[in-house]
Amino acid sequence: MKHIQTLNENTLQNTVQHGGCGECQTSCQSACKTSCTVGNQTCENEAQKK
Amino acid sequence: MVHRFENNGYRIALDECSGAVHVLDAETYAVLGLLDGLEGKAAADRLEHLRQMTPAQAVRETEMQAAKEAAQQERQAGKDAMLQAAKDAAEHTTRTLAVIAALPPEEYREILDEIRELADRGMLFKEDTYRQGLIDFQKRKTVVKALCLHIAHDCNLACRYCFAGEGEYHGDRALMSFEVGKKALDFLIENSGNRRNLEVDFFGGEPLMNWEVVKRLVAYGREQEKLHDTNFQFTQTTNGVLLNDEIMEFCNREMANVVLSLDGRKEVNDRMRPTRNGKGSYDLIVPKFQKFASQRRALGKSYYVRGTFTRENLDFASDVLHYADLGFDQLSMEPVVAPPEEPYALQEEDLPRLMEEYDRLAREFVERKKAGKGFTFFHFMLDLEGGPCVYKRLSGCGSGTEYLAVTPWGDLYPCHQFVGNPDFLLGNVEEGIVRPEICNEFKLCNVYAKPSCRDCFARFYCSGGCAANAYNFHGKITDAYEIGCALEKKRVECALMIKAALAEKA
């Protein structure tokens, strides 16, 4: 595209099918402890990663 | 909905519900503005409508619409009290329309075609279709997967902003016994269902004040994981005062992550983090943290140098950069959460300054990364290709359900921030959860349960924010802490700008 550069292909919609296994880390166990950020966490579900 | 924003010279569109991120040229940014606030069919219809017009016609129509809206707002707000926000919006629209008016018709059409293609591919104007799925997801039986063990309600520092009342959580000083800790691990195993990875954070107070128990509990956990086919991920927070070679060696072997508390520049750190006898802690802890971090880096193990910024260091980007200058490369810095009457509490009037600081930090982040001296910053980390599933993103942090805090005497609370508040006492490690109704309240606390989150562009990144912050400021966990929200939104925008800047390099 000439005017738009898209940074990511894998959309949130794609996670609906394989999501929800709950194996991911609990948000507050990492470095925050006072706020909440989940967008930076890693998915632990191998099926979804594919 | 599409969230359009400009940051450090980049024009970015985040399609909220697909998660797609687009970097736009100035003309496309302006044209996309003609579709602000629309999604799904409404956006598609408007797009078709715009394609039937010339740029001049589209501008005229939008001007007329904007004038109508402005008149309506003026009537509502009173002629002399037209809101500044509305005035800003009107000015913005005028600037945007000037860009569109100057577009050659074929370029205008070309831009609309690109927008339409992305919409057709589900990467623009995607509607929020996750609500029902999330409701079903939340009906599932949840398991406990993480414990925050308050191994010591005591501390050898006297940090001025400590939410834990200098380690004592507004109660008595206490150390967790091995027996209580062991029961906590048993409780976790028993309540973790089929989950394999179990997380245990040694927290305080200062956990190293009860180091022997930490070591014994890790040994006990290692025994139990063999028996139950589980895997304990231990993590440890420390202020570093008691850190020594033996502890570092143990942590390097056993702890998946360590969080090292330091507030940045010496004068900033020592003002907020004095020792019990009023001296600064910087000189005592920094050399130990440097050694520890370098060992962990060599081993490929995670660590975070983590600080808190307050109203007394609104130029906190300098503190984060100071970490990097000290040689640390995994960094986190959190805004203080404090009662508004405290002199160091962040106030709404500080927000413009704080926004500038995040922008400055993000710029420096990119520059250092490009110069081969990059670091990670917890709140700028974003995995656009992978990252958590939409359920995780919408269902909250897990406090009160998957994540519980355990006091030195074995009481269970929804998270470390609620410890000491009897209204949130859930039970204890002997009897388990005795007040499940509180857990249910937490379980249902998702972005759709929070009026201010439902339409927020950042809802897929903050998951509805911190329940404890909401409770502390508004008395209910389904509310939102406004200053925290404003900062979170800014951090998400900065994180996306960084992605745009680094993609440009590639």
Side-chain angles (χ1 to χ4, degrees):
Chain A
M1 284 190 181
K2 197 169 140 196
H3 300 277
I4 305 177
Q5 181 193 6
T6 296
L7 298 185
N8 54 338
E9 292 289 333
N10 191 356
T11 60
L12 292 182
Q13 180 67 41
N14 296 347
T15 70
V16 169
Q17 203 179 347
H18 295 292
C21 74
E23 279 296 322
C24 47
Q25 194 189 31
T26 315
S27 325
C28 245
Q29 290 297 64
S30 41
C32 56
K33 289 280 187 196
T34 47
S35 61
C36 184
T37 301
V38 302
N40 62 6
Q41 291 198 282
T42 312
C43 173
E44 300 290 336
N45 184 336
E46 289 304 321
Q48 184 167 309
K49 282 180 190 170
K50 289 167 197 166
Chain B
M1 222 84 89
V2 176
H3 176 62
R4 281 186 318 137
F5 65 96
E6 296 184 67
N7 185 302
N8 281 325
Y10 292 89
R11 296 174 189 85
I12 296 171
L14 165 69
D15 189 44
E16 296 169 15
C17 295
S18 72
V21 180
H22 313 284
V23 187
L24 315 171
D25 60 20
E27 293 74 22
T28 308
Y29 188 80
V31 172
L32 192 59
L34 299 175
L35 294 134
D36 272 351
L38 299 176
E39 61 183 14
K41 187 170 181 315
D45 290 348
R46 171 92 175 133
L47 195 52
E48 278 316 305
H49 180 62
L50 289 171
R51 289 179 83 252
Q52 306 308 317
M53 291 190 220
T54 63
Q57 287 169 328
V59 166
R60 240 188 337 270
E61 190 192 78
T62 312
E63 273 172 346
M64 280 164 62
Q65 183 62 27
K68 221 158 68 186
E69 280 168 19
Q72 198 181 357
Q73 277 170 353
E74 209 170 287
R75 272 200 303 279
Q76 281 167 357
K79 202 164 189 170
D80 300 326
M82 191 177 165
L83 301 169
Q84 188 58 42
K87 279 186 184 165
D88 292 347
E91 270 177 41
H92 188 76
T93 308
T94 309
R95 280 204 312 275
T96 300
L97 294 181
V99 174
I100 299 170
L103 273 177
E106 59 278 14
E107 194 176 344
Y108 167 77
R109 173 61 82 96
E110 196 175 73
I111 290 170
L112 286 174
D113 285 349
E114 289 191 16
I115 292 173
R116 189 167 70 166
E117 187 187 328
L118 289 171
D120 288 346
R121 289 165 59 194
M123 294 160 80
L124 272 176
F125 314 117
K126 188 187 171 324
E127 287 172 303
D128 191 339
T129 50
Y130 306 123
R131 191 177 183 142
Q132 188 54 47
L134 181 71
I135 291 169
D136 295 341
F137 174 69
Q138 294 206 305
K139 282 183 192 154
R140 81 201 191 286
K141 189 180 179 312
T142 43
V143 298
V144 183
K145 60 188 195 185
L147 290 183
C148 178
L149 290 191
H150 290 230
I151 204 81
H153 273 192
D154 197 355
C155 191
N156 39 22
L157 290 184
C159 304
R160 284 167 55 204
Y161 49 62
C162 186
F163 71 89
E166 294 176 15
E168 295 158 36
Y169 287 82
H170 316 289
D172 294 329
R173 288 184 187 196
L175 299 180
M176 184 180 281
S177 68
F178 172 68
E179 283 309 309
V180 167
K182 187 169 161 289
K183 281 181 188 155
L185 297 190
D186 291 340
F187 167 84
L188 178 56
I189 293 168
E190 219 168 283
N191 290 278
S192 58
N194 293 327
R195 189 181 153 97
R196 194 156 184 277
N197 291 324
L198 304 180
E199 302 155 29
V200 175
D201 189 33
F202 294 107
F203 197 64
E206 169 51 30
L208 295 189
M209 293 181 81
N210 198 8
W211 178 240
E212 286 308 311
V213 170
V214 171
K215 281 199 298 189
R216 289 182 67 195
L217 286 175
V218 169
Y220 179 71
R222 295 290 175 235
E223 272 170 36
Q224 293 302 306
E225 62 187 6
K226 284 178 209 140
L227 300 174
H228 298 276
D229 190 30
T230 56
N231 174 35
F232 276 104
Q233 286 186 339
F234 292 107
T235 54
Q236 161 103 42
T237 297
T238 180
N239 64 25
V241 173
L242 296 174
L243 199 58
N244 61 30
D245 287 346
E246 180 253 321
I247 293 169
M248 289 185 215
E249 192 272 326
F250 183 88
C251 290
N252 289 341
R253 200 173 59 240
E254 299 288 359
M255 303 288 177
N257 187 30
V258 291
V259 178
L260 314 174
S261 304
L262 176 74
D263 279 357
R265 291 162 294 178
K266 179 173 160 64
E267 63 275 18
V268 173
N269 182 80
D270 287 354
R271 195 165 54 229
M272 291 311 277
R273 301 181 65 81
T275 60
R276 291 266 171 179
N277 60 14
K279 289 189 181 151
S281 56
Y282 182 97
D283 290 336
L284 177 66
I285 59 177
V286 166
K288 294 196 267 190
F289 282 172
Q290 285 173 311
K291 184 175 180 182
F292 201 9
S294 113
Q295 288 175 350
R296 291 189 71 87
R297 210 168 23 244
L299 292 163
K301 293 236 173 178
S302 167
Y303 73 92
Y304 272 102
V305 172
R306 180 221 184 273
T308 299
F309 70 83
T310 72
R311 195 159 208 235
E312 295 182 15
N313 61 319
L314 294 176
D315 59 342
F316 68 90
S318 296
D319 292 291
V320 178
L321 297 171
H322 181 72
Y323 292 151
D325 293 338
L326 288 171
F328 300 117
D329 62 355
Q330 296 174 42
L331 318 177
S332 173
M333 178 66 88
E334 289 282 325
V336 72
V337 179
E341 59 275 13
E342 290 291 351
Y344 55 79
L346 300 172
Q347 306 291 342
E348 221 161 295
E349 70 205 52
D350 300 327
L351 283 174
R353 178 67 208 276
L354 295 172
M355 302 296 182
E356 278 171 32
E357 277 301 293
Y358 276 118
D359 282 341
R360 180 164 79 93
L361 181 60
R363 271 197 307 275
E364 191 69 25
F365 181 101
V366 172
E367 273 175 35
R368 292 196 183 201
K369 180 96 180 166
K370 286 183 174 175
K373 294 184 292 183
F375 55 86
T376 58
F377 180 67
F378 184 75
H379 286 296
F380 288 168
M381 287 158 65
L382 210 55
D383 180 356
L384 291 183
E385 291 296 334
C389 63
V390 77
Y391 302 116
K392 165 79 176 177
R393 288 171 186 264
L394 292 171
S395 62
C397 68
S399 61
T401 53
E402 300 176 327
Y403 171 76
L404 302 173
V406 187
T407 67
W409 41 95
D411 285 343
L412 297 169
Y413 285 91
C415 85
H416 54 286
Q417 296 264 359
F418 288 102
V419 164
N421 183 338
D423 292 343
F424 289 92
L425 176 59
L426 302 176
N428 58 64
V429 291
E430 301 252 7
E431 298 165 270
I433 302 285
V434 295
R435 292 169 74 193
E437 68 278 10
I438 302 177
C439 297
N440 273 336
E441 206 184 319
F442 276 83
K443 191 170 174 176
L444 296 175
C445 180
N446 60 56
V447 298
Y448 299 114
K450 299 183 176 197
S452 51
C453 298
R454 265 175 232 153
D455 297 320
C456 174
F457 82 87
R459 65 191 181 281
F460 293 99
Y461 303 88
C462 80
S463 196
C466 170
N469 287 353
Y471 180 80
N472 288 338
F473 281 85
H474 296 293
K476 51 184 182 184
I477 61 171
T478 49
D479 218 312
Y481 163 49
E482 293 80 0
I483 293 177
C485 287
L487 298 179
E488 173 67 17
K489 287 185 220 177
K490 185 66 186 176
R491 292 189 296 248
V492 172
E493 289 187 348
C494 285
L496 294 172
M497 183 284 291
I498 288 169
K499 293 287 182 196
L502 297 176
E504 185 181 56
K505 184 196 164 202

